[in-house]
Amino acid sequence: MKTTKIEWTDKTWNPVTGCSKISAGCVNCYAEVMARRLQAMGQNKYKNGFQLTLHEDVLSEPLSWKLPHTIFVCSMSDLFHKNVPDEFINKVIAVIKLTPHHRYQLLTKRADRMAEYFQNHPIPENVWLGATVENQSEKGRIDFLRDLNASVRFLSCEPLLEDLGELNLENIDWVIVGGESGTSARPMKEEWVLSIKRQTEIQGSAFFFKQWGTWGSDGVKRNKYVNGKLINGKIYQAMPA
Ligand code: SF4
């Protein structure tokens, strides 16, 4: 059963919470807003607010999920943050290996550390590895990702902040694109989205358009649900083969 609003996954698992900002995509971090809200509500797991915290006690959660799920790991953090020790990542990977009936999505803005970690550790078959690329200056993350021997390599271009220009999508199976939401959201232009879509079609990556966000395809700021997720009247939400 789907227990998250994130459209490209069906469950989240957060053995790490809290993070620190590393690039432009982090400016309006949703995880930070949520962590502070949950802290204010008195949730014990978020007693440290957005400070990076390891949660040994939730490591075993996926073992109790008997039905297969697609699980986004660390939606409230970044597993490859420098303050997450390799030993803790090893524990996360051990649980992933113990639960081959699940599929795990590891998405990071620290693709350099992810690549370094997986140089010394095999990648389980049920892991998809992803990197966020929100603007041109973060395109280098794709090069760290492309050579990793994962069953699926994916990009999250969300929030898309500018035209990414030419993309080398060699070995990239899946590209997710989305605009920012919230009152401080930065605009995303239709031509930036169409450029990525066109390049996925030419280079053979699956294309998943999540949402326009607060700024519609017409450049007007309004409720994200009204702006929706159609491109020229169609939904494009392909999953990798
Ligand atoms: S890496 Fe992700 S979780 Fe960490 S601050 Fe940036 S947007 Fe937030």
Side-chain angles (χ1 to χ4, degrees):
M1 190 183 68
K2 192 168 167 73
T3 57
T4 169
K5 284 186 191 160
I6 304 169
E7 298 209 6
W8 45 267
T9 195
D10 55 46
K11 240 182 195 341
T12 57
W13 174 41
N14 282 296
V16 184
T17 57
C19 194
S20 54
K21 301 190 179 191
I22 189 171
S23 61
C26 300
V27 168
N28 298 316
C29 174
Y30 173 80
E32 180 180 23
V33 174
M34 279 306 293
R36 298 204 191 286
R37 190 175 298 164
L38 294 167
Q39 180 186 35
M41 286 163 65
Q43 274 212 13
N44 192 43
K45 187 172 182 185
Y46 292 93
K47 62 177 188 287
N48 298 335
F50 197 52
Q51 196 185 312
L52 192 125
T53 308
L54 308 179
H55 299 275
E56 295 267 350
D57 55 318
V58 305
L59 277 171
S60 60
E61 259 180 9
L63 300 168
S64 65
W65 300 333
K66 300 299 173 207
L67 295 174
H69 292 292
T70 300
I71 300 167
F72 177 18
V73 182
C74 293
S75 64
M76 295 292 285
S77 181
D78 187 330
L79 183 63
F80 297 98
H81 189 285
K82 64 178 173 15
N83 294 344
V84 181
D86 272 9
E87 295 68 34
F88 193 82
I89 300 176
N90 293 346
K91 289 181 185 178
V92 169
I93 297 293
V95 172
I96 289 176
K97 280 192 195 150
L98 278 172
T99 50
H101 59 300
H102 297 317
R103 166 194 293 162
Y104 292 87
Q105 297 160 321
L106 273 58
L107 173 64
T108 188
K109 288 189 175 67
R110 280 108 177 154
D112 49 349
R113 185 175 178 215
M114 179 167 77
E116 193 185 306
Y117 175 84
F118 284 119
Q119 262 164 22
N120 305 311
H121 301 84
I123 305 170
E125 267 186 35
N126 55 335
V127 164
W128 295 9
L129 294 181
T132 303
V133 180
E134 69 269 39
N135 58 18
Q136 296 230 15
S137 60
E138 304 306 340
K139 283 184 351 184
R141 292 176 186 158
I142 309 174
D143 296 321
F144 286 110
L145 178 67
R146 118 169 60 248
D147 294 329
L148 293 173
N149 190 24
S151 51
V152 169
R153 287 161 296 257
F154 67 100
L155 303 182
S156 169
C157 304
E158 191 194 4
L160 183 61
L161 299 176
E162 65 179 9
D163 181 7
L164 293 184
E166 243 179 70
L167 289 169
N168 174 0
L169 298 175
E170 190 183 351
N171 286 347
I172 302 299
D173 305 285
W174 189 35
V175 181
I176 301 163
V177 176
E180 199 163 37
S181 44
T183 47
S184 312
R186 293 158 285 180
M188 177 178 71
K189 294 206 174 138
E190 186 174 36
E191 61 254 35
W192 309 344
V193 176
L194 294 178
S195 166
I196 298 174
K197 178 173 172 291
R198 198 162 41 240
Q199 295 184 73
T200 59
E201 285 160 5
I202 293 168
Q203 299 185 55
S205 315
F207 176 76
F208 189 107
F209 184 64
K210 187 176 153 190
Q211 61 170 22
W212 287 102
T214 295
W215 296 85
S217 58
D218 53 0
V220 176
K221 194 175 187 186
R222 55 169 93 76
N223 183 298
K224 73 170 182 175
Y225 296 106
V226 177
N227 285 332
K229 55 190 172 190
L230 301 179
I231 300 176
N232 295 328
K234 278 170 109 178
I235 290 178
Y236 292 88
Q237 294 198 330
M239 297 297 286

